[in-house]
Amino acid sequence: MAEVKTAQQEALEIAQILEDSKADDVCVIDVSELNSWTDFFVIATIHSSAHTQGLAKQIKDYVKENGMEIHVAHNKAPGGDDWNLIDIGPVVVHLMSEDARNFYELEKLWHGGKKLK
């Protein structure tokens, strides 16, 4: 029987996948005390549309292998690849271009969360 992973373990494993796949400035923030709809944000800087697609596929494969489910996956910026969001329930992954990351500053917006990585 497979071990049941906590949302924190899942968030940290997804962050490791992103780092191993050359995403930059990967961070994990525990936002469980700040809202009711998710527990962890994984935020990473991506380099291109192809990079985003490759990372998204790896995350989807991880989700499938771990018996999880993607609730929503979409681009946050209309018509662009600047911000790709993958909602896995307790973990929300933000794949952002450097420009989008600097503009939206999610780490500052969610500064009350505990930064794990």
Side-chain angles (χ1 to χ4, degrees):
M1 188 160 130
E3 84 175 88
V4 176
K5 295 178 183 174
T6 66
Q8 180 173 326
Q9 286 173 310
E10 293 166 349
L12 292 170
E13 287 179 3
I14 289 169
Q16 190 61 55
I17 290 167
L18 295 173
E19 283 184 349
D20 292 347
S21 300
K22 307 292 188 244
D24 287 336
D25 199 18
V26 178
C27 76
V28 177
I29 304 172
D30 181 342
V31 295
S32 60
E33 308 266 324
L34 306 175
N35 69 72
S36 61
W37 49 272
T38 193
D39 295 326
F40 296 92
F41 282 167
V42 179
I43 307 169
T45 302
I46 48 90
H47 305 288
S48 67
S49 177
H51 192 214
T52 301
Q53 290 171 2
L55 293 173
K57 182 185 181 325
Q58 288 186 316
I59 292 167
K60 289 172 185 171
D61 290 346
Y62 172 87
V63 165
K64 188 176 181 182
E65 289 165 10
N66 286 278
M68 301 160 67
E69 185 179 322
I70 293 177
H71 300 283
V72 178
H74 59 84
N75 292 334
K76 292 293 287 174
D81 292 321
D82 281 350
W83 186 355
N84 192 291
L85 181 140
I86 303 170
D87 179 351
I88 312 167
V91 179
V92 175
V93 181
H94 301 269
L95 303 176
M96 305 176 82
S97 69
E98 189 172 349
D99 288 344
R101 190 135 179 208
N102 291 334
F103 180 79
Y104 292 105
E105 297 184 319
L106 292 182
E107 291 94 331
K108 283 187 182 176
L109 184 64
W110 293 92
H111 69 276
K114 180 180 169 195
K115 200 166 186 181
L116 303 179
K117 183 175 183 73

